[in-house]
């Protein structure tokens, strides 16, 4: 299929990047008109489900492009998972962690060229079951991780990565952990934890390298857990996670599995790709689903 004949729909989330995503529409309209004959720019209405919008548009278009950050991508992925429709990415959100694992943390012009090249990879997704159901493309954070995301979203007066640091600091000070029962084929443990993060991609929270060895194509989930440790030590971890976990960090464990089940002694906050799933979650089953999403990638991916 020739690139010009591909039917492509760009979906904008007007709430992305603190309501600043729509400033890119005029640029996109000019550029898209020179690259595709059949394209549409769809702007989600307030309160409209991006997953449902993506699902509807997938019946009319070959490619759906998520124009926003990780939250926008997550919602659109939930509309396209296990389908033949291809996902494209224009990272214009306040958090763009998922695109880093796809080598797409580039300028918007470069990302648009990559979309036009039409090189497709089939990547893994995380299937969510238990107290919530759905799909996750990048990371699922439980405990401090979930609360950090929640507080960052509430801090509307802050912009960019500083909002995630604020959220993480507030979460560390307010949530001191609970008992978590973590089960998989490779690992089984019940202990006091402050955080458990299940990763398909490498980064989250704008700048935290939580899973350096994660790979979207390997059929594995990477789990990072932090046991209950002194407050000052946890604050040190927060600063160090820009470069990933280190051997000197006490109470930290990482392992890989195809399926992980986590139960908590009290309700906790959970995020999926930066989307707040709730603060009342106690049980999740997380399974890797191979080749569950078709996505446009650079030639060197």
């Amino acid at each position: 299929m020739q690139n010009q004949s591909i039917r492509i729909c760009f979906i904008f989330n007007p709430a992305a990047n603190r309501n600043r995503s729509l400033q890119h529409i005029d640029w996109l309209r000019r550029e898209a008109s020179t690259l595709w004959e059949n394209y549409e720019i769809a702007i989600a209405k307030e309160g409209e489900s991006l997953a449902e919008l993506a699902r509807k548009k997938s019946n009319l278009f070959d490619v759906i492009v998520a124009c926003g950050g990780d939250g926008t991508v997550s919602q659109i992925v939930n509309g396209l998972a296990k389908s033949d429709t291809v996902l494209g990415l224009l990272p214009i959100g306040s958090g763009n962690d998922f695109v880093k694992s796809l080598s797409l943390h580039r300028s918007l012009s470069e990302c648009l060229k990559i979309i036009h090249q039409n090189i497709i990879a089939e990547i893994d997704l995380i299937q969510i079951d238990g107290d919530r159901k759905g799909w996750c493309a990048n990371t699922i954070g439980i405990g401090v991780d979930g609360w950090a995301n929640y507080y960052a979203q509430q801090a509307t007066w802050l912009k960019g990565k500083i909002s995630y640091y604020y959220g993480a600091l507030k979460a560390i000070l307010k949530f001191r952990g609970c008992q978590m029962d973590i089960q998989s084929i490779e690992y089984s443990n019940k202990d006091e934890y402050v955080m458990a993060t299940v990763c398909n991609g490498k980064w989250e929270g704008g700048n935290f390298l939580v899973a350096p060895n994660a790979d979207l194509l390997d059929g594995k989930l990477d789990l990072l857990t932090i046991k209950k440790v002194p407050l000052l030590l946890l604050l040190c971890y927060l600063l160090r996670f820009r470069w990933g976990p280190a051997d000197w960090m006490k109470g930290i464990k990482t392992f890989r599995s195809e399926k992980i089940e986590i139960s908590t002694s009290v309700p906790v906050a959970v995020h999926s790709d930066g989307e707040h799933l709730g603060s009342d979650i106690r049980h999740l089953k997380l399974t890797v689903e191979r080749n569950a999403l078709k996505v446009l990638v650079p030639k060197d991916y």
Side-chain angles (χ1 to χ4, degrees):
M1 186 177 349
Q2 296 298 314
N3 290 5
Q4 288 77 8
S5 65
I6 289 174
R7 300 169 300 167
I8 185 166
C9 179
F10 298 86
I11 295 182
F12 270 83
N13 177 8
N17 197 16
R18 305 298 195 198
N19 301 309
R20 294 191 296 273
S21 64
L22 296 183
Q23 65 184 338
H24 301 286
I25 284 184
D26 289 340
W27 164 82
L28 177 59
R29 187 174 289 113
R30 290 193 303 270
E31 296 297 320
S33 65
T34 67
L35 297 172
W36 295 280
E37 294 179 359
N38 190 346
Y39 79 93
E40 178 183 326
I41 297 176
I43 303 174
K45 300 176 183 177
E46 184 176 357
E48 184 176 15
S49 166
L50 291 179
E52 186 58 33
L53 178 59
R55 195 174 292 114
K56 290 179 181 178
K57 293 298 183 182
S58 70
N59 294 321
L60 304 172
F61 294 91
D62 306 303
V63 176
I64 303 295
V65 180
C67 304
D70 291 312
T72 300
V73 172
S74 180
Q75 293 180 63
I76 290 177
V77 164
N78 272 271
L80 299 182
K82 301 292 287 183
S83 76
D84 290 327
T85 306
V86 180
L87 174 71
L89 298 159
L90 278 182
I92 56 177
S94 55
N96 298 303
D97 295 308
F98 177 61
V99 296
K100 295 177 185 176
S101 294
L102 290 166
S103 299
L104 286 170
H105 46 302
R106 313 182 186 203
S107 70
L108 294 183
S109 295
E110 289 179 287
C111 289
L112 196 63
K113 290 177 182 178
I114 289 168
I115 292 170
H116 187 252
Q117 290 169 356
N118 197 43
I119 298 172
I120 300 172
E122 295 187 9
I123 66 168
D124 304 335
L125 292 177
I126 303 174
Q127 187 168 23
I128 307 169
D129 205 349
D131 289 346
R132 296 293 187 275
K133 299 181 185 298
W135 296 93
C136 170
N138 191 44
T139 65
I140 295 174
I142 301 168
V144 157
D145 207 353
W147 284 114
N149 175 78
Y150 174 78
Y151 292 134
Q153 290 184 356
Q154 299 303 304
T156 55
W157 65 93
L158 295 175
K159 299 178 182 179
K161 295 177 181 177
I162 189 65
S163 65
Y164 293 100
Y165 281 101
Y166 165 83
L169 178 59
K170 187 171 181 178
I172 287 171
L173 294 174
K174 292 179 71 72
F175 180 74
R176 298 300 301 133
C178 68
Q179 190 175 81
M180 296 188 190
D181 185 3
I182 301 174
Q183 300 292 330
S184 75
I185 296 174
E186 296 82 358
Y187 181 74
S188 176
N189 193 48
K190 191 173 185 180
D191 210 330
E192 293 286 322
Y193 291 93
V194 294
M195 186 175 108
T197 305
V198 180
C199 306
N200 192 35
K202 299 176 185 291
W203 284 271
E204 73 164 18
N207 212 26
F208 299 115
L209 182 59
V210 290
N213 297 317
D215 187 334
L216 300 171
L217 302 172
D218 66 359
K220 295 288 186 180
L221 303 177
D222 286 57
L223 177 67
L224 168 77
T225 60
I226 303 180
K227 290 185 178 181
K228 193 171 183 178
V229 295
L231 179 61
L232 289 179
L233 191 57
L234 196 56
L235 290 171
C236 290
Y237 291 177
L238 170 63
L239 297 174
R240 179 58 176 74
F241 263 106
R242 290 185 61 186
W243 299 277
D247 292 339
W248 60 264
M249 292 179 168
K250 297 179 180 179
I252 287 185
K253 183 174 179 62
T254 61
F255 72 90
R256 316 183 78 216
S257 184
E258 296 178 3
K259 184 175 182 179
I260 299 169
E261 188 169 353
I262 301 176
S263 301
T264 63
S265 59
V266 298
V268 295
V270 177
H271 82 77
S272 173
D273 296 337
E275 289 287 287
H276 183 62
L277 291 187
S279 304
D280 59 344
I281 298 174
R282 296 187 60 172
H283 182 224
L284 290 175
K285 295 179 181 180
L286 307 170
T287 307
V288 67
E289 183 72 25
R290 297 296 309 270
N291 309 126
L293 182 70
K294 296 180 179 178
V295 61
L296 297 175
V297 297
K299 292 179 179 179
D300 56 355
Y301 177 67

